[in-house]
Amino acid sequence: DGGPMRAQREGLPVFAFKKHILRTMESSQVIVVEGETGCGKTTQVPQFILDDCAERQIGCNIICTQPRRISAMGVSERVAQERGEPIGTTVGYTIRLESKTSS
């Protein structure tokens, strides 16, 4: 269903490129997504990939890096919230010795 924040997610600029990003991933090992701050690159692209893999019943692990501890925690919490899931299930983080991930 897209989670509780579906309308807000679909309003982000990166959403218009969802199909293009997923198609490009099928034929490329590496892609670069460039966009303005706040366009949804960090929070939406991993969810596009996760949802696509789940739909096609393909397992995947998505790892996103952030330059600061607070950024990693904030992004993880935001994505979990958007998905309507508690942190540490399909979305989590690991920072040095602190971990909020599924087993």
Side-chain angles (χ1 to χ4, degrees):
D1 71 21
M5 305 172 95
R6 182 180 184 149
Q8 184 178 3
R9 290 180 59 203
E10 290 178 357
L12 291 168
V14 77
F15 195 83
F17 297 94
K18 178 180 178 177
K19 288 181 183 175
H20 178 71
I21 291 168
L22 293 174
R23 271 197 317 266
T24 303
M25 285 191 56
E26 291 176 6
S27 60
S28 303
Q29 289 185 331
V30 176
I31 64 170
V32 176
V33 178
E34 181 181 10
E36 297 290 326
T37 300
C39 75
K41 301 178 302 292
T42 302
T43 59
Q44 302 311 302
V45 174
Q47 291 186 79
F48 297 165
I49 298 164
L50 182 61
D51 293 341
D52 182 63
C53 287
E55 185 176 297
R56 295 188 298 141
Q57 298 182 342
I58 298 171
C60 72
N61 286 312
I62 302 167
I63 300 169
C64 301
T65 62
Q66 290 293 313
R68 293 174 196 80
R69 171 188 185 87
I70 194 73
S71 299
M73 293 169 66
V75 167
S76 298
E77 290 167 1
R78 173 64 185 207
V79 172
Q81 180 184 29
E82 288 181 5
R83 299 185 68 75
E85 303 171 0
I87 190 86
T89 54
T90 58
V91 178
Y93 64 85
T94 299
I95 304 165
R96 293 190 183 98
L97 300 176
E98 181 180 348
S99 181
K100 290 272 189 169
T101 59
S102 60
S103 313

